[in-house]
Amino acid sequence: MKFITDYHKHDERLYRHINPMPLDTPKLGALNRALINKLGLGSLSDNDWQDVISGRLTPLASQSPHGLQPIAMAYAGHQFGQWAGQLGDGRGLLIAQLMDDDGRLTDLHLKGAGRTPYSRHGDGRAMIASTIREYLCGHALTCLGIGSSDAIGFVVSDTPIQRYQMERAAALLRVSDCHVRLGHIEWVTMYAPDYLSGFITHICQSYYPSLYDSTADTADVPALIKQIAINTAQMIAKWQLVGFSHGVMNTDNLNITGTTLDFGPFGFMESFNPAWINNHSDHTGRYTYQNQPMIGYWNLATVFKNLQRIGVTPTAIDDALDSYEQALQDAYHDGLAHKLGFAKASDETTALGYELLDLMKTYQLDYTNTFRALIAVVDVAVDDMANNTHSDTADTHERRLLGTLTRGLPHKALDTWQAWVARFTHLIQAENDTQAVIQRLTTHNPVYVLRNHMAHTAITHALADDFGEVHRLFEILSTPYQVSPKAVANDITPALADQQIAVSCLS
């Protein structure tokens, strides 16, 4: 890895140079050493990182041949479907960019760094609660195999901030492959239209180099927007497959590479309710789980139409949006087949998957636990076919999940469940490789997701400067497809439907 300043090559209207405002008496809450080593920054000590994350950048600056040049980015966006005008990094700074040997970029972004020219009426700080939620969720999605920002670590401090009440400020050092948002395109279109062509060319060069012609210094813009659409679709399909609801899919909260960014009022599905509103501020339910595919399309269509100004045809935009729809459907149906244990999607596996989702919705079954219990369904079916006595120890976790599931179903639903299981096991038998089926079920259905009540417990402890629960959750979420000896019952126990937490945008 080497330090570079790629984003500084843009027109200076797109950013402002500004240094972070250091926090008072910072205390390191958590540090992701595996990520630090991956970035080649392992020589910095815990105390060094405490300084860096609290806004004292000297230890990290010493690693760069040219020091650091922190910037706040300008961008715009549509929020809850309405044009919001200029936004920007109101409490975050891009403090460094790294490039690996294959030319891939990594941004280091300090969140909670203090006021910037884009803070509007905010104080530029971050709450401990929102910081911990982002630290854990970015890690959780990354370990689930979903492209996402991650974090080097976070600190808490004695710096006071006013929210509903006086609180202590925190800061997070976020890592992502890209902080260029769809809202950046909107900002340039509105406030620097003369630079729109140059901006698109440069982001193509930086993030989609195979579509950039260095000889002519031009981008294949139709191919670029098509790939952005496909990457966004595949990200959202993966969200749907693990039951993740982002909660605030404004155009300024989606980036151009299709990696998850900006963890605010997110939630992982518990009792399966596609219309669950997990964002306390989402009064109309715009950003519910079931709407995410449609919102992704709406965001792309809204942003891409601006590119007609530089010669992109309506036909090219329609082609990109058609590619979005097809990519999302293909990725979701393939992923659903894998969650059922099948090697590839077919009409039968898709129908079977949707039938299971309908059953889960009708009887409010837990999303994560139901899919994981399919391992036991297959295991029991294999025992039955072999006339074996069901083992009390084999797949203990999954068999317990299955037992909880069947005991929780009302009597009238048992026949429906058994009929579905019969069709499922019939198709599984046709695979002729039970071990491969079990392997797919195991690697596509997590044991653990970051349920909101898990995060809430960790936050409650952290507010008293006890970060043990944060560290424990970080560890079990590091291997979400394996049963962990560090887990407790609360990690797999769904909240009751009327007790699921809706999270505010306040951060």
Side-chain angles (χ1 to χ4, degrees):
M1 289 280 191
K2 61 180 179 180
F3 284 83
I4 63 167
T5 51
D6 182 76
Y7 198 80
H8 296 67
K9 297 174 185 176
H10 283 293
D11 189 297
E12 291 185 357
R13 288 173 288 179
L14 272 72
Y15 58 87
R16 301 284 186 88
H17 288 280
I18 187 167
N19 289 318
M21 300 169 62
L23 293 168
D24 301 322
T25 56
K27 180 177 181 179
L28 191 64
L31 206 59
N32 185 344
R33 271 288 165 191
L35 178 58
I36 290 168
N37 293 335
K38 180 180 177 182
L39 295 174
L41 298 172
S43 62
L44 296 183
S45 68
D46 286 11
N47 286 336
D48 289 335
W49 285 115
Q50 178 174 283
D51 284 347
V52 170
I53 301 170
S54 68
R56 300 164 177 84
L57 303 182
T58 301
L60 185 62
S62 68
Q63 303 291 301
S64 170
H66 309 292
L68 300 180
Q69 302 175 49
I71 58 172
M73 293 179 171
Y75 50 83
H78 280 77
Q79 299 189 328
F80 291 91
Q82 303 299 315
W83 173 244
Q86 175 163 297
L87 301 169
D89 286 333
R91 57 180 173 148
L93 297 175
L94 181 65
I95 63 170
Q97 290 183 289
L98 303 172
M99 180 178 285
D100 68 14
D101 293 339
D102 295 321
R104 290 187 294 260
L105 289 172
T106 297
D107 293 348
L108 303 186
H109 190 269
L110 185 59
K111 194 167 183 178
R115 289 183 57 81
T116 78
Y118 311 115
S119 295
R120 295 179 286 175
H121 302 296
D123 58 17
R125 296 303 189 185
M127 295 167 59
I128 293 174
S130 61
T131 297
I132 289 174
R133 282 174 57 82
E134 179 156 1
Y135 177 73
L136 290 174
C137 193
H139 178 64
L141 285 187
T142 298
C143 295
L144 286 167
I146 301 173
S148 173
S149 65
D150 209 337
I152 282 176
F154 71 88
V155 300
V156 300
S157 77
D158 288 335
T159 300
I161 54 174
Q162 179 66 54
R163 296 299 186 262
Y164 291 127
Q165 59 189 11
M166 291 302 296
E167 302 201 18
R168 294 182 296 149
L172 177 87
L173 185 52
R174 182 166 70 183
V175 175
S176 177
D177 69 335
C178 178
H179 280 84
V180 177
R181 306 151 188 272
L182 296 178
H184 276 79
I185 298 173
E186 294 184 288
W187 190 93
V188 175
T189 301
M190 179 61 68
Y191 302 110
D194 56 298
Y195 182 58
L196 183 57
S197 180
F199 179 73
I200 296 299
T201 297
H202 188 69
I203 63 173
C204 183
Q205 180 184 11
S206 298
Y207 300 103
Y208 294 91
S210 65
L211 304 178
Y212 170 72
D213 183 342
S214 58
T215 302
D217 190 28
T218 57
D220 185 344
V221 184
L224 172 66
I225 63 173
K226 185 174 184 177
Q227 196 58 55
I228 291 173
I230 289 171
N231 288 350
T232 302
Q234 292 174 341
M235 173 188 70
I236 293 174
K238 290 178 180 179
W239 289 357
Q240 302 297 103
L241 289 164
V242 298
F244 176 74
S245 182
H246 185 279
V248 59
M249 287 177 63
N250 298 328
T251 57
D252 57 295
N253 289 337
L254 295 183
N255 73 9
I256 63 167
T257 57
T259 51
T260 315
L261 200 64
D262 289 344
F263 297 98
F266 67 83
F268 282 89
M269 191 70 67
E270 296 193 74
S271 298
F272 186 60
N273 173 16
W276 172 49
I277 299 176
N278 63 294
N279 178 351
H280 187 266
S281 304
D282 188 5
H283 304 298
T284 65
R286 176 181 177 85
Y287 293 141
T288 58
Y289 168 87
Q290 65 186 2
N291 285 348
Q292 290 183 143
M294 176 196 69
I295 293 298
Y297 183 101
W298 189 94
N299 285 348
L300 292 169
T302 298
V303 172
F304 288 169
K305 70 180 182 182
N306 295 304
L307 301 180
Q308 293 182 64
R309 297 186 179 209
I310 58 173
V312 178
T313 66
T315 299
I317 293 171
D318 288 343
D319 181 54
L321 295 173
D322 288 345
S323 296
Y324 169 88
E325 292 187 302
Q326 190 63 55
L328 196 149
Q329 177 178 289
D330 290 347
Y332 183 76
H333 286 168
D334 285 344
L336 188 58
H338 296 155
K339 287 180 76 68
L340 296 173
F342 299 105
K344 59 182 179 180
S346 67
D347 290 344
E348 289 178 304
T349 63
T350 300
L352 198 66
Y354 284 132
E355 287 174 18
L356 179 59
L357 292 172
D358 282 342
L359 195 152
M360 291 163 61
K361 177 183 175 182
T362 300
Y363 298 105
Q364 298 188 351
L365 302 181
D366 184 78
Y367 184 88
T368 300
N369 290 348
T370 300
F371 274 109
R372 186 72 187 193
L374 296 182
I375 295 172
V377 172
V378 174
D379 185 53
V380 169
V382 169
D383 281 352
D384 286 343
M385 286 185 292
N387 293 317
N388 291 336
T389 301
H390 295 171
S391 170
D392 291 330
T393 57
D395 295 320
T396 298
H397 172 74
E398 287 75 21
R399 293 206 180 193
R400 288 179 178 173
L401 292 179
L402 181 58
T404 300
L405 188 161
T406 54
R407 287 192 301 272
L409 286 171
H411 184 73
K412 64 180 181 180
L414 288 175
D415 288 344
T416 303
W417 167 251
Q418 292 299 338
W420 185 90
V421 167
R423 292 194 300 278
F424 171 63
T425 53
H426 176 74
L427 280 181
I428 288 296
Q429 290 167 19
E431 292 286 293
N432 293 319
D433 190 344
T434 304
Q435 288 302 107
V437 169
I438 293 288
Q439 180 66 19
R440 284 189 288 270
L441 287 168
T442 303
T443 56
H444 290 89
N445 294 307
V447 181
Y448 311 108
V449 293
L450 182 61
R451 301 172 186 268
N452 274 337
H453 61 261
M454 295 161 63
H456 180 72
T457 300
I459 290 164
T460 300
H461 286 270
L463 291 173
D465 288 340
D466 175 3
F467 303 105
E469 186 66 2
V470 172
H471 299 155
R472 188 188 71 81
L473 290 182
F474 187 90
E475 184 172 342
I476 70 169
L477 294 169
S478 296
T479 54
Y481 297 98
Q482 301 173 23
V483 176
S484 170
K486 296 290 184 69
V488 298
N490 194 52
D491 300 328
I492 59 168
T493 303
L496 297 176
D498 62 352
Q499 295 178 356
Q500 292 188 29
I501 299 171
V503 182
S504 169
C505 287
L506 184 68
S507 56

